[in-house]
Amino acid sequence: MTGATNKRDLRTGRSVWADSPGLGVPIRPLTQALSVDVAIVGAGISGAFMARELARDHSVTVLDRRPPLMGSTVASTAMLQWEIDLPLTALAEQIGMASARRAYARSRAAVEDLKRIVADEGIRCGLKNKGSLYLAGDDYGRRALEAEAEARAGIGLDSVFVGPADLRDRYGIERTGAIVSQGSASADPARLAAGLMRRAIADGAKVYSPVEVLQAASDPDGVTLLTDAGHAVRARTVIFCCGYEFPKGVPTPGAEVISTWALATKPRSVCPAWLKDMLVWEASDPYLYFRMGQDGRLIVGGEDEADPTAHDDPAKLKRKCETIARKLKALMPALEFEIDYTWAGAFGTSTTGLPSIAPVPDIDHAFAVMGFGGNGITYSVIASQIVSAAVRGQPDPDADLYRP
């Protein structure tokens, strides 16, 4: 029997986060049949936010075919942005300005919620408040970014356009313009996920690994999950938090899995002081993006390719990361750095830049959370809010934004 989700090798190389301290999450083997309120399939960042939210007032079981955190979570560059891959003005052309404004406002609120959760739970994950520098590129130039900054400011989002002279004087970057925004953040995604999962466990959640879900069957009272451990898990609600390993039979219109590459430099790279407080990305395709970690490492990514398996190629990993380093040096010639880690992973995109957070067709009492785009962690917060509200019988007013 094949699994209930599509299997993918989600990453290649070694991520800098794989060597982070404090990644321990207590796990157990599945040795008997279980009956719980909620079963979560996936022990990465989205599963961790979900478990933390629901374990406070439900019995929760988390299942994963891998060890916790070892899927896409450790491949993240953890730029915790409220800015969506598709600009507000472009998103409005697809879904209407009213919905686009709601999507941006919800994303902005989710980053604040994330910061509050980390503070309230005392999770040590290197969370740091950051601004964002969105550079004009070949997809959106100066005029488009001026209009974008005006549209954002019109709904109360802290965004200001800066022209080429200011950009050169303040940041040493030669581009036709940029948007400077406030309210984003960065963190160690593996430590964040581990901390959230441990908080859920403290509230009674249990994590079973390695356990593969082979089949899901629903009836009027709940869902039965058949597993490769030979024991079934019965739940009133099942939530698939499988990242880019989509549950079979779940439609993903306008979405595709691509490949992306990233690198981390050695600590204490020589960088301008402003970079410690900013996330930088560009309005190009493929786009370069980078930030500085607390230890002075540069975390840099880009060179996305519309191929779901290209990241498996070790030779391509080397070439892509050399290209990323070359582009970074061309943009900011004063940077001095040595590459320490390189990795690649599967990555999801959608035509709107929004994720899919919705009930699973043909399986009652089941939801699928698929965080497409560059805001996976921000969307994991939103997913935990929307799905937990549905589980509690209190529909979320923004749930319609994320239904495919």
Side-chain angles (χ1 to χ4, degrees):
M1 187 181 294
T2 57
T5 59
N6 294 297
K7 290 186 181 179
R8 298 184 188 278
D9 292 324
L10 292 175
R11 51 192 175 80
T12 302
R14 185 166 183 82
S15 156
V16 64
W17 317 121
D19 291 331
S20 295
L23 300 188
V25 173
I27 61 174
R28 57 185 71 200
L30 184 60
T31 58
Q32 62 183 28
L34 301 175
S35 180
V36 293
D37 293 333
V38 178
I40 297 170
V41 182
I45 189 71
S46 58
F49 270 111
M50 195 72 67
R52 179 257 173 199
E53 178 63 35
L54 286 166
R56 291 176 291 173
D57 51 7
H58 295 81
S59 58
V60 172
T61 284
V62 182
L63 309 169
D64 203 313
R65 65 163 65 105
R66 301 182 181 85
L69 328 177
M70 291 297 121
S72 296
T73 298
V74 289
S76 171
T77 51
M79 290 174 51
L80 311 180
Q81 294 175 269
W82 53 262
E83 294 166 283
I84 296 168
D85 279 353
L86 206 61
L88 173 62
T89 48
L91 183 60
E93 292 177 3
Q94 292 207 27
I95 66 173
M97 182 54 81
S99 293
R101 287 175 171 175
R102 278 199 295 141
Y104 262 78
R106 186 59 182 262
S107 188
R108 179 69 180 85
V111 175
E112 290 305 309
D113 291 339
L114 187 157
K115 295 174 186 176
R116 175 184 50 77
I117 289 167
V118 168
D120 289 351
E121 301 286 10
I123 296 173
R124 299 179 65 180
C125 60
L127 182 75
K128 179 176 171 58
N129 288 320
K130 298 271 179 127
S132 169
L133 184 64
Y134 184 38
L135 302 171
D138 56 24
D139 269 5
Y140 300 98
R142 174 175 182 157
R143 289 182 182 177
L145 292 198
E146 284 181 309
E148 175 69 9
E150 184 177 350
R152 291 184 189 180
I155 58 170
L157 298 173
D158 190 347
S159 297
V160 177
F161 178 81
V162 295
D166 283 345
L167 188 59
R168 185 185 312 114
D169 293 344
R170 291 164 59 180
Y171 302 105
I173 293 176
E174 295 285 349
R175 286 289 172 93
T176 58
I179 296 175
V180 178
S181 300
Q182 302 301 323
S184 291
S186 65
D188 178 326
R191 290 171 66 196
L192 173 59
L196 290 165
M197 198 66 85
R198 288 195 295 266
R199 296 304 182 274
I201 290 169
D203 284 335
K206 296 178 174 60
V207 182
Y208 295 88
S209 170
V211 176
E212 182 171 357
V213 174
L214 301 176
Q215 191 173 345
S218 65
D219 57 54
D221 299 318
V223 183
T224 299
L225 300 176
L226 302 182
T227 73
D228 64 348
H231 303 288
V233 176
R234 176 70 179 174
R236 292 180 182 175
T237 303
V238 169
I239 308 165
F240 290 95
C241 295
C242 306
Y244 309 125
E245 294 182 302
F246 310 148
K248 292 179 180 176
V250 175
T252 55
E256 61 178 335
V257 174
I258 65 174
S259 294
T260 190
W261 287 263
L263 63 86
T265 70
K266 290 185 176 179
R268 295 175 294 281
S269 298
V270 177
C271 300
W274 63 262
L275 188 52
K276 297 175 184 176
D277 300 312
M278 299 294 281
L279 311 175
V280 186
W281 58 310
E282 59 177 356
S284 297
D285 184 16
Y287 65 87
L288 180 76
Y289 53 95
F290 56 98
R291 67 176 179 87
M292 179 173 275
Q294 283 194 319
D295 56 0
R297 292 183 192 271
L298 287 168
I299 312 298
V300 195
E303 287 304 292
D304 297 357
E305 193 172 305
D307 182 329
T309 62
H311 64 85
D312 290 336
D313 184 347
K316 184 166 281 191
L317 172 63
K318 184 175 186 296
R319 292 196 305 272
K320 289 282 190 177
C321 287
E322 287 172 350
T323 300
I324 289 170
R326 189 166 59 250
K327 284 187 172 182
L328 178 61
K329 191 71 175 174
L331 182 68
M332 299 184 64
L335 290 181
E336 296 180 19
F337 58 88
E338 264 187 89
I339 297 174
D340 199 12
Y341 290 82
T342 61
W343 68 97
F347 181 69
T349 64
S350 69
T351 53
T352 61
L354 299 177
S356 173
I357 305 166
V360 177
D362 303 325
I363 305 180
D364 294 334
H365 317 292
F367 295 85
V369 171
M370 296 176 286
F372 303 116
N375 303 66
I377 295 176
T378 304
Y379 289 151
S380 292
V381 177
I382 294 173
S384 71
Q385 296 167 340
I386 288 175
V387 176
S388 66
V391 170
R392 295 175 179 127
Q394 303 164 341
D396 188 288
D398 293 325
D400 62 294
L401 292 173
Y402 309 103
R403 293 188 188 124

